[in-house]
Structures are given as C-alpha cells and as structure tokens.
PDB file of all heavy atoms in Angstrom:
ATOM      1  N   MET A   1     116.221  93.631 115.158  1.00 69.00           N
ATOM      2  CA  MET A   1     115.289  92.910 114.475  1.00 69.00           C
ATOM      3  C   MET A   1     115.883  91.815 113.734  1.00 69.00           C
ATOM      4  O   MET A   1     116.777  91.874 113.061  1.00 69.00           O
ATOM      5  CB  MET A   1     114.578  93.764 113.425  1.00 69.00           C
ATOM      6  CG  MET A   1     113.436  93.246 112.772  1.00 69.00           C
ATOM      7  SD  MET A   1     112.632  94.334 111.830  1.00 69.00           S
ATOM      8  CE  MET A   1     111.061  93.570 111.385  1.00 69.00           C
ATOM      9  N   GLN A   2     115.323  90.608 114.006  1.00 78.00           N
ATOM     10  CA  GLN A   2     115.857  89.335 113.488  1.00 78.00           C
ATOM     11  C   GLN A   2     114.945  88.810 112.379  1.00 78.00           C
ATOM     12  O   GLN A   2     113.777  88.905 112.466  1.00 78.00           O
ATOM     13  CB  GLN A   2     115.977  88.326 114.563  1.00 78.00           C
ATOM     14  CG  GLN A   2     116.778  88.800 115.810  1.00 78.00           C
ATOM     15  CD  GLN A   2     117.913  87.894 115.976  1.00 78.00           C
ATOM     16  OE1 GLN A   2     118.069  86.819 115.472  1.00 78.00           O
ATOM     17  NE2 GLN A   2     118.959  88.275 116.745  1.00 78.00           N
ATOM     18  N   PHE A   3     115.583  88.286 111.257  1.00 76.00           N
ATOM     19  CA  PHE A   3     114.964  87.613 110.194  1.00 76.00           C
ATOM     20  C   PHE A   3     115.092  86.110 110.199  1.00 76.00           C
ATOM     21  O   PHE A   3     116.311  85.676 110.422  1.00 76.00           O
ATOM     22  CB  PHE A   3     115.307  88.200 108.882  1.00 76.00           C
ATOM     23  CG  PHE A   3     115.026  89.630 108.823  1.00 76.00           C
ATOM     24  CD1 PHE A   3     116.046  90.600 108.824  1.00 76.00           C
ATOM     25  CD2 PHE A   3     113.720  90.161 108.569  1.00 76.00           C
ATOM     26  CE1 PHE A   3     115.683  92.017 108.684  1.00 76.00           C
ATOM     27  CE2 PHE A   3     113.366  91.490 108.386  1.00 76.00           C
ATOM     28  CZ  PHE A   3     114.518  92.477 108.438  1.00 76.00           C
ATOM     29  N   ASP A   4     114.086  85.302 109.951  1.00 87.00           N
ATOM     30  CA  ASP A   4     114.192  83.976 109.872  1.00 87.00           C
ATOM     31  C   ASP A   4     114.548  83.537 108.323  1.00 87.00           C
ATOM     32  O   ASP A   4     114.482  84.432 107.528  1.00 87.00           O
ATOM     33  CB  ASP A   4     112.947  83.258 110.498  1.00 87.00           C
ATOM     34  CG  ASP A   4     111.844  83.447 109.642  1.00 87.00           C
ATOM     35  OD1 ASP A   4     111.812  84.526 108.915  1.00 87.00           O
ATOM     36  OD2 ASP A   4     110.782  82.852 109.847  1.00 87.00           O
ATOM     37  N   SER A   5     114.835  82.419 108.163  1.00 87.00           N
ATOM     38  CA  SER A   5     115.178  81.967 106.909  1.00 87.00           C
ATOM     39  C   SER A   5     114.133  82.184 105.817  1.00 87.00           C
ATOM     40  O   SER A   5     114.346  82.318 104.617  1.00 87.00           O
ATOM     41  CB  SER A   5     115.704  80.593 106.770  1.00 87.00           C
ATOM     42  OG  SER A   5     114.812  79.541 107.240  1.00 87.00           O
ATOM     43  N   THR A   6     112.850  81.864 106.359  1.00 90.00           N
ATOM     44  CA  THR A   6     111.743  81.987 105.368  1.00 90.00           C
ATOM     45  C   THR A   6     111.589  83.477 104.898  1.00 90.00           C
ATOM     46  O   THR A   6     111.347  83.633 103.745  1.00 90.00           O
ATOM     47  CB  THR A   6     110.474  81.531 106.097  1.00 90.00           C
ATOM     48  OG1 THR A   6     110.734  80.323 106.661  1.00 90.00           O
ATOM     49  CG2 THR A   6     109.263  81.615 105.264  1.00 90.00           C
ATOM     50  N   THR A   7     111.716  84.459 105.720  1.00 89.00           N
ATOM     51  CA  THR A   7     111.676  85.782 105.375  1.00 89.00           C
ATOM     52  C   THR A   7     112.740  86.125 104.423  1.00 89.00           C
ATOM     53  O   THR A   7     112.557  86.784 103.426  1.00 89.00           O
ATOM     54  CB  THR A   7     111.687  86.740 106.577  1.00 89.00           C
ATOM     55  OG1 THR A   7     110.862  86.278 107.536  1.00 89.00           O
ATOM     56  CG2 THR A   7     111.517  88.113 106.180  1.00 89.00           C
ATOM     57  N   ILE A   8     113.911  85.629 104.571  1.00 90.00           N
ATOM     58  CA  ILE A   8     115.069  85.956 103.724  1.00 90.00           C
ATOM     59  C   ILE A   8     114.919  85.369 102.345  1.00 90.00           C
ATOM     60  O   ILE A   8     115.019  85.939 101.351  1.00 90.00           O
ATOM     61  CB  ILE A   8     116.510  85.576 104.500  1.00 90.00           C
ATOM     62  CG1 ILE A   8     116.670  86.363 105.566  1.00 90.00           C
ATOM     63  CG2 ILE A   8     117.615  85.653 103.306  1.00 90.00           C
ATOM     64  CD1 ILE A   8     117.847  86.036 106.336  1.00 90.00           C
ATOM     65  N   ASN A   9     114.341  84.074 102.368  1.00 93.00           N
ATOM     66  CA  ASN A   9     114.129  83.479 101.150  1.00 93.00           C
ATOM     67  C   ASN A   9     112.925  84.166 100.227  1.00 93.00           C
ATOM     68  O   ASN A   9     113.085  84.166  99.026  1.00 93.00           O
ATOM     69  CB  ASN A   9     113.614  81.878 101.426  1.00 93.00           C
ATOM     70  CG  ASN A   9     114.755  81.104 101.781  1.00 93.00           C
ATOM     71  OD1 ASN A   9     116.001  81.384 101.627  1.00 93.00           O
ATOM     72  ND2 ASN A   9     114.502  80.027 102.489  1.00 93.00           N
ATOM     73  N   MET A  10     111.942  84.664 100.997  1.00 94.00           N
ATOM     74  CA  MET A  10     110.924  85.353 100.339  1.00 94.00           C
ATOM     75  C   MET A  10     111.465  86.685  99.718  1.00 94.00           C
ATOM     76  O   MET A  10     111.117  87.119  98.596  1.00 94.00           O
ATOM     77  CB  MET A  10     109.732  85.689 101.198  1.00 94.00           C
ATOM     78  CG  MET A  10     108.837  84.528 101.539  1.00 94.00           C
ATOM     79  SD  MET A  10     107.608  84.764 102.719  1.00 94.00           S
ATOM     80  CE  MET A  10     106.794  86.128 102.096  1.00 94.00           C
ATOM     81  N   LEU A  11     112.329  87.402 100.503  1.00 93.00           N
ATOM     82  CA  LEU A  11     112.917  88.595 100.047  1.00 93.00           C
ATOM     83  C   LEU A  11     113.872  88.380  98.832  1.00 93.00           C
ATOM     84  O   LEU A  11     113.767  89.054  97.813  1.00 93.00           O
ATOM     85  CB  LEU A  11     113.758  89.179 101.143  1.00 93.00           C
ATOM     86  CG  LEU A  11     114.492  90.538 100.798  1.00 93.00           C
ATOM     87  CD1 LEU A  11     113.301  91.640 100.538  1.00 93.00           C
ATOM     88  CD2 LEU A  11     115.303  91.004 101.850  1.00 93.00           C
ATOM     89  N   VAL A  12     114.633  87.334  98.770  1.00 94.00           N
ATOM     90  CA  VAL A  12     115.528  87.009  97.557  1.00 94.00           C
ATOM     91  C   VAL A  12     114.666  86.710  96.438  1.00 94.00           C
ATOM     92  O   VAL A  12     114.839  87.084  95.305  1.00 94.00           O
ATOM     93  CB  VAL A  12     116.519  85.785  98.017  1.00 94.00           C
ATOM     94  CG1 VAL A  12     117.200  85.327  96.813  1.00 94.00           C
ATOM     95  CG2 VAL A  12     117.490  86.294  98.992  1.00 94.00           C
ATOM     96  N   LYS A  13     113.585  85.825  96.698  1.00 96.00           N
ATOM     97  CA  LYS A  13     112.662  85.524  95.467  1.00 96.00           C
ATOM     98  C   LYS A  13     112.046  86.675  94.976  1.00 96.00           C
ATOM     99  O   LYS A  13     111.882  86.858  93.786  1.00 96.00           O
ATOM    100  CB  LYS A  13     111.640  84.547  96.137  1.00 96.00           C
ATOM    101  CG  LYS A  13     110.635  84.039  94.986  1.00 96.00           C
ATOM    102  CD  LYS A  13     109.546  83.096  95.510  1.00 96.00           C
ATOM    103  CE  LYS A  13     108.780  82.737  94.265  1.00 96.00           C
ATOM    104  NZ  LYS A  13     107.358  82.194  94.772  1.00 96.00           N
ATOM    105  N   GLY A  14     111.590  87.767  95.764  1.00 95.00           N
ATOM    106  CA  GLY A  14     110.847  88.909  95.340  1.00 95.00           C
ATOM    107  C   GLY A  14     111.785  89.838  94.533  1.00 95.00           C
ATOM    108  O   GLY A  14     111.464  90.348  93.599  1.00 95.00           O
ATOM    109  N   ILE A  15     113.212  89.805  95.002  1.00 96.00           N
ATOM    110  CA  ILE A  15     114.124  90.647  94.284  1.00 96.00           C
ATOM    111  C   ILE A  15     114.516  90.066  92.915  1.00 96.00           C
ATOM    112  O   ILE A  15     114.561  90.718  91.854  1.00 96.00           O
ATOM    113  CB  ILE A  15     115.463  90.841  95.115  1.00 96.00           C
ATOM    114  CG1 ILE A  15     115.106  91.645  96.388  1.00 96.00           C
ATOM    115  CG2 ILE A  15     116.581  91.339  94.327  1.00 96.00           C
ATOM    116  CD1 ILE A  15     116.353  91.672  97.359  1.00 96.00           C
ATOM    117  N   TRP A  16     114.482  88.690  92.865  1.00 97.00           N
ATOM    118  CA  TRP A  16     114.855  88.049  91.577  1.00 97.00           C
ATOM    119  C   TRP A  16     113.590  88.231  90.666  1.00 97.00           C
ATOM    120  O   TRP A  16     113.807  88.438  89.390  1.00 97.00           O
ATOM    121  CB  TRP A  16     115.051  86.553  91.844  1.00 97.00           C
ATOM    122  CG  TRP A  16     114.909  85.718  90.556  1.00 97.00           C
ATOM    123  CD1 TRP A  16     113.982  84.865  90.291  1.00 97.00           C
ATOM    124  CD2 TRP A  16     115.814  85.941  89.358  1.00 97.00           C
ATOM    125  NE1 TRP A  16     114.319  84.395  88.915  1.00 97.00           N
ATOM    126  CE2 TRP A  16     115.294  84.998  88.405  1.00 97.00           C
ATOM    127  CE3 TRP A  16     116.880  86.676  89.162  1.00 97.00           C
ATOM    128  CZ2 TRP A  16     115.876  84.758  87.182  1.00 97.00           C
ATOM    129  CZ3 TRP A  16     117.527  86.558  87.911  1.00 97.00           C
ATOM    130  CH2 TRP A  16     116.963  85.586  87.001  1.00 97.00           C
ATOM    131  N   GLU A  17     112.434  88.101  91.118  1.00 96.00           N
ATOM    132  CA  GLU A  17     111.187  88.302  90.334  1.00 96.00           C
ATOM    133  C   GLU A  17     111.223  89.802  89.713  1.00 96.00           C
ATOM    134  O   GLU A  17     110.907  89.933  88.512  1.00 96.00           O
ATOM    135  CB  GLU A  17     109.928  87.949  91.002  1.00 96.00           C
ATOM    136  CG  GLU A  17     109.762  86.390  91.216  1.00 96.00           C
ATOM    137  CD  GLU A  17     108.549  86.330  92.164  1.00 96.00           C
ATOM    138  OE1 GLU A  17     107.890  87.224  92.718  1.00 96.00           O
ATOM    139  OE2 GLU A  17     108.162  84.964  92.205  1.00 96.00           O
ATOM    140  N   THR A  18     111.557  90.654  90.516  1.00 96.00           N
ATOM    141  CA  THR A  18     111.507  92.081  90.088  1.00 96.00           C
ATOM    142  C   THR A  18     112.611  92.266  88.966  1.00 96.00           C
ATOM    143  O   THR A  18     112.342  92.941  88.052  1.00 96.00           O
ATOM    144  CB  THR A  18     111.760  92.983  91.311  1.00 96.00           C
ATOM    145  OG1 THR A  18     110.830  92.878  92.346  1.00 96.00           O
ATOM    146  CG2 THR A  18     111.812  94.423  90.775  1.00 96.00           C
ATOM    147  N   ILE A  19     113.756  91.706  89.278  1.00 97.00           N
ATOM    148  CA  ILE A  19     114.826  91.922  88.170  1.00 97.00           C
ATOM    149  C   ILE A  19     114.496  91.239  86.964  1.00 97.00           C
ATOM    150  O   ILE A  19     114.659  91.743  85.860  1.00 97.00           O
ATOM    151  CB  ILE A  19     116.146  91.389  88.802  1.00 97.00           C
ATOM    152  CG1 ILE A  19     116.757  92.177  89.939  1.00 97.00           C
ATOM    153  CG2 ILE A  19     117.137  91.187  87.765  1.00 97.00           C
ATOM    154  CD1 ILE A  19     117.868  91.613  90.607  1.00 97.00           C
ATOM    155  N   TYR A  20     113.831  89.999  87.044  1.00 97.00           N
ATOM    156  CA  TYR A  20     113.405  89.316  85.942  1.00 97.00           C
ATOM    157  C   TYR A  20     112.469  90.100  85.029  1.00 97.00           C
ATOM    158  O   TYR A  20     112.490  90.194  83.849  1.00 97.00           O
ATOM    159  CB  TYR A  20     112.789  87.974  86.337  1.00 97.00           C
ATOM    160  CG  TYR A  20     112.111  87.164  85.416  1.00 97.00           C
ATOM    161  CD1 TYR A  20     112.638  86.422  84.222  1.00 97.00           C
ATOM    162  CD2 TYR A  20     110.718  86.927  85.446  1.00 97.00           C
ATOM    163  CE1 TYR A  20     111.999  85.704  83.306  1.00 97.00           C
ATOM    164  CE2 TYR A  20     110.013  86.210  84.560  1.00 97.00           C
ATOM    165  CZ  TYR A  20     110.595  85.662  83.498  1.00 97.00           C
ATOM    166  OH  TYR A  20     109.935  84.934  82.598  1.00 97.00           O
ATOM    167  N   MET A  21     111.350  90.632  85.657  1.00 96.00           N
ATOM    168  CA  MET A  21     110.285  91.392  85.055  1.00 96.00           C
ATOM    169  C   MET A  21     110.918  92.627  84.445  1.00 96.00           C
ATOM    170  O   MET A  21     110.664  92.858  83.338  1.00 96.00           O
ATOM    171  CB  MET A  21     109.295  91.692  85.998  1.00 96.00           C
ATOM    172  CG  MET A  21     108.335  90.662  86.322  1.00 96.00           C
ATOM    173  SD  MET A  21     106.872  91.170  87.339  1.00 96.00           S
ATOM    174  CE  MET A  21     107.640  91.935  88.815  1.00 96.00           C
ATOM    175  N   VAL A  22     111.884  93.316  85.280  1.00 96.00           N
ATOM    176  CA  VAL A  22     112.375  94.628  84.627  1.00 96.00           C
ATOM    177  C   VAL A  22     113.209  94.433  83.462  1.00 96.00           C
ATOM    178  O   VAL A  22     112.980  95.011  82.311  1.00 96.00           O
ATOM    179  CB  VAL A  22     113.152  95.423  85.701  1.00 96.00           C
ATOM    180  CG1 VAL A  22     113.935  96.541  85.051  1.00 96.00           C
ATOM    181  CG2 VAL A  22     112.180  95.880  86.680  1.00 96.00           C
ATOM    182  N   PHE A  23     114.131  93.363  83.473  1.00 97.00           N
ATOM    183  CA  PHE A  23     115.028  93.274  82.331  1.00 97.00           C
ATOM    184  C   PHE A  23     114.365  92.635  81.192  1.00 97.00           C
ATOM    185  O   PHE A  23     114.622  93.068  80.009  1.00 97.00           O
ATOM    186  CB  PHE A  23     116.199  92.421  82.860  1.00 97.00           C
ATOM    187  CG  PHE A  23     117.323  93.236  83.510  1.00 97.00           C
ATOM    188  CD1 PHE A  23     117.487  92.969  84.958  1.00 97.00           C
ATOM    189  CD2 PHE A  23     117.995  94.156  82.998  1.00 97.00           C
ATOM    190  CE1 PHE A  23     118.356  93.576  85.653  1.00 97.00           C
ATOM    191  CE2 PHE A  23     118.977  94.824  83.665  1.00 97.00           C
ATOM    192  CZ  PHE A  23     119.108  94.738  84.972  1.00 97.00           C
ATOM    193  N   LEU A  24     113.473  91.569  81.400  1.00 97.00           N
ATOM    194  CA  LEU A  24     112.829  91.106  80.109  1.00 97.00           C
ATOM    195  C   LEU A  24     111.895  91.899  79.532  1.00 97.00           C
ATOM    196  O   LEU A  24     111.826  92.059  78.303  1.00 97.00           O
ATOM    197  CB  LEU A  24     112.151  89.641  80.684  1.00 97.00           C
ATOM    198  CG  LEU A  24     111.666  88.790  79.511  1.00 97.00           C
ATOM    199  CD1 LEU A  24     112.858  88.497  78.572  1.00 97.00           C
ATOM    200  CD2 LEU A  24     110.997  87.601  80.024  1.00 97.00           C
ATOM    201  N   SER A  25     111.108  92.721  80.284  1.00 97.00           N
ATOM    202  CA  SER A  25     110.149  93.537  79.687  1.00 97.00           C
ATOM    203  C   SER A  25     110.857  94.781  78.919  1.00 97.00           C
ATOM    204  O   SER A  25     110.535  95.291  77.950  1.00 97.00           O
ATOM    205  CB  SER A  25     109.162  94.198  80.692  1.00 97.00           C
ATOM    206  OG  SER A  25     109.836  94.841  81.771  1.00 97.00           O
ATOM    207  N   SER A  26     112.047  95.219  79.672  1.00 97.00           N
ATOM    208  CA  SER A  26     112.783  96.232  79.028  1.00 97.00           C
ATOM    209  C   SER A  26     113.397  95.857  77.659  1.00 97.00           C
ATOM    210  O   SER A  26     113.400  96.491  76.676  1.00 97.00           O
ATOM    211  CB  SER A  26     113.952  96.756  79.820  1.00 97.00           C
ATOM    212  OG  SER A  26     113.507  97.344  81.000  1.00 97.00           O
ATOM    213  N   ALA A  27     113.923  94.661  77.654  1.00 98.00           N
ATOM    214  CA  ALA A  27     114.564  94.106  76.371  1.00 98.00           C
ATOM    215  C   ALA A  27     113.445  94.010  75.262  1.00 98.00           C
ATOM    216  O   ALA A  27     113.626  94.239  74.167  1.00 98.00           O
ATOM    217  CB  ALA A  27     115.208  92.730  76.602  1.00 98.00           C
ATOM    218  N   LEU A  28     112.339  93.392  75.668  1.00 97.00           N
ATOM    219  CA  LEU A  28     111.227  93.324  74.705  1.00 97.00           C
ATOM    220  C   LEU A  28     110.664  94.567  74.212  1.00 97.00           C
ATOM    221  O   LEU A  28     110.345  94.760  73.075  1.00 97.00           O
ATOM    222  CB  LEU A  28     110.089  92.352  75.188  1.00 97.00           C
ATOM    223  CG  LEU A  28     110.550  90.873  75.451  1.00 97.00           C
ATOM    224  CD1 LEU A  28     109.493  90.174  76.235  1.00 97.00           C
ATOM    225  CD2 LEU A  28     110.859  90.245  74.195  1.00 97.00           C
ATOM    226  N   SER A  29     110.633  95.519  75.102  1.00 98.00           N
ATOM    227  CA  SER A  29     110.243  96.999  74.652  1.00 98.00           C
ATOM    228  C   SER A  29     111.157  97.484  73.785  1.00 98.00           C
ATOM    229  O   SER A  29     110.719  98.244  72.731  1.00 98.00           O
ATOM    230  CB  SER A  29     109.995  97.723  75.860  1.00 98.00           C
ATOM    231  OG  SER A  29     109.077  97.323  76.814  1.00 98.00           O
ATOM    232  N   TYR A  30     112.464  97.355  73.901  1.00 98.00           N
ATOM    233  CA  TYR A  30     113.457  97.964  72.949  1.00 98.00           C
ATOM    234  C   TYR A  30     113.309  97.150  71.641  1.00 98.00           C
ATOM    235  O   TYR A  30     113.386  97.822  70.617  1.00 98.00           O
ATOM    236  CB  TYR A  30     114.733  97.777  73.495  1.00 98.00           C
ATOM    237  CG  TYR A  30     115.059  98.877  74.585  1.00 98.00           C
ATOM    238  CD1 TYR A  30     115.416  98.444  75.776  1.00 98.00           C
ATOM    239  CD2 TYR A  30     115.059 100.205  74.214  1.00 98.00           C
ATOM    240  CE1 TYR A  30     115.593  99.508  76.806  1.00 98.00           C
ATOM    241  CE2 TYR A  30     115.397 101.209  75.154  1.00 98.00           C
ATOM    242  CZ  TYR A  30     115.599 100.874  76.504  1.00 98.00           C
ATOM    243  OH  TYR A  30     115.876 101.867  77.401  1.00 98.00           O
ATOM    244  N   VAL A  31     113.007  95.835  71.694  1.00 98.00           N
ATOM    245  CA  VAL A  31     112.925  95.083  70.495  1.00 98.00           C
ATOM    246  C   VAL A  31     111.734  95.549  69.585  1.00 98.00           C
ATOM    247  O   VAL A  31     111.884  95.625  68.444  1.00 98.00           O
ATOM    248  CB  VAL A  31     112.908  93.628  70.716  1.00 98.00           C
ATOM    249  CG1 VAL A  31     112.381  92.778  69.619  1.00 98.00           C
ATOM    250  CG2 VAL A  31     114.098  93.016  71.298  1.00 98.00           C
ATOM    251  N   ILE A  32     110.673  95.847  70.276  1.00 97.00           N
ATOM    252  CA  ILE A  32     109.423  96.381  69.468  1.00 97.00           C
ATOM    253  C   ILE A  32     109.539  97.845  69.247  1.00 97.00           C
ATOM    254  O   ILE A  32     109.238  98.309  68.214  1.00 97.00           O
ATOM    255  CB  ILE A  32     108.181  96.042  70.309  1.00 97.00           C
ATOM    256  CG1 ILE A  32     108.140  94.605  70.445  1.00 97.00           C
ATOM    257  CG2 ILE A  32     106.920  96.703  69.571  1.00 97.00           C
ATOM    258  CD1 ILE A  32     107.026  94.080  71.432  1.00 97.00           C
ATOM    259  N   GLY A  33     110.018  98.693  70.187  1.00 97.00           N
ATOM    260  CA  GLY A  33     110.055 100.239  70.097  1.00 97.00           C
ATOM    261  C   GLY A  33     110.963 100.744  69.126  1.00 97.00           C
ATOM    262  O   GLY A  33     110.783 101.612  68.447  1.00 97.00           O
ATOM    263  N   ILE A  34     112.257 100.181  69.107  1.00 98.00           N
ATOM    264  CA  ILE A  34     113.308 100.671  68.204  1.00 98.00           C
ATOM    265  C   ILE A  34     112.834 100.658  66.694  1.00 98.00           C
ATOM    266  O   ILE A  34     112.870 101.662  66.050  1.00 98.00           O
ATOM    267  CB  ILE A  34     114.643 100.032  68.456  1.00 98.00           C
ATOM    268  CG1 ILE A  34     115.221 100.473  69.805  1.00 98.00           C
ATOM    269  CG2 ILE A  34     115.721 100.446  67.313  1.00 98.00           C
ATOM    270  CD1 ILE A  34     116.465  99.813  70.254  1.00 98.00           C
ATOM    271  N   PRO A  35     112.373  99.480  66.262  1.00 98.00           N
ATOM    272  CA  PRO A  35     111.933  99.475  64.898  1.00 98.00           C
ATOM    273  C   PRO A  35     110.826 100.351  64.595  1.00 98.00           C
ATOM    274  O   PRO A  35     110.617 101.044  63.456  1.00 98.00           O
ATOM    275  CB  PRO A  35     111.515  98.018  64.542  1.00 98.00           C
ATOM    276  CG  PRO A  35     112.338  97.193  65.610  1.00 98.00           C
ATOM    277  CD  PRO A  35     112.343  98.078  66.782  1.00 98.00           C
ATOM    278  N   LEU A  36     109.866 100.469  65.500  1.00 97.00           N
ATOM    279  CA  LEU A  36     108.734 101.483  65.304  1.00 97.00           C
ATOM    280  C   LEU A  36     109.210 102.856  65.301  1.00 97.00           C
ATOM    281  O   LEU A  36     108.709 103.728  64.510  1.00 97.00           O
ATOM    282  CB  LEU A  36     107.624 101.256  66.493  1.00 97.00           C
ATOM    283  CG  LEU A  36     106.939  99.974  66.385  1.00 97.00           C
ATOM    284  CD1 LEU A  36     105.921  99.877  67.662  1.00 97.00           C
ATOM    285  CD2 LEU A  36     106.100  99.791  65.088  1.00 97.00           C
ATOM    286  N   GLY A  37     110.128 103.162  66.235  1.00 96.00           N
ATOM    287  CA  GLY A  37     110.690 104.624  66.109  1.00 96.00           C
ATOM    288  C   GLY A  37     111.368 105.008  64.906  1.00 96.00           C
ATOM    289  O   GLY A  37     111.248 105.982  64.290  1.00 96.00           O
ATOM    290  N   ILE A  38     112.100 103.933  64.392  1.00 97.00           N
ATOM    291  CA  ILE A  38     112.791 104.039  63.011  1.00 97.00           C
ATOM    292  C   ILE A  38     111.791 104.195  61.971  1.00 97.00           C
ATOM    293  O   ILE A  38     111.878 105.142  61.016  1.00 97.00           O
ATOM    294  CB  ILE A  38     113.810 102.949  62.755  1.00 97.00           C
ATOM    295  CG1 ILE A  38     114.936 102.933  63.858  1.00 97.00           C
ATOM    296  CG2 ILE A  38     114.282 103.019  61.418  1.00 97.00           C
ATOM    297  CD1 ILE A  38     115.845 101.801  63.927  1.00 97.00           C
ATOM    298  N   ALA A  39     110.701 103.500  62.026  1.00 96.00           N
ATOM    299  CA  ALA A  39     109.666 103.558  61.008  1.00 96.00           C
ATOM    300  C   ALA A  39     109.028 104.864  61.008  1.00 96.00           C
ATOM    301  O   ALA A  39     108.526 105.426  59.960  1.00 96.00           O
ATOM    302  CB  ALA A  39     108.674 102.422  61.203  1.00 96.00           C
TER     303      ALA A  39
END
C-alpha cells in the first residue's frame, strides 16, 4: 500500500493535534485539579 504526500501530511497534522490537545488539557487539568484536591 502506497501513501501519497497529502495522506502523510494529514497523518502528521492529526498526530500533532492529538499531542497538542492531550498535553495542554492534561497540564491545565493538573493546574486546576491539584489545588482543588489540596483544598
């Protein structure tokens, strides 16, 4: 199975968006959740 450059670019973009969402939402969740748990 062969992939063209458009498919590879879409895959790389999707992976980057997933990493961006996971890390940023995790960091913000910890920033909010840790003080609430301590409280």
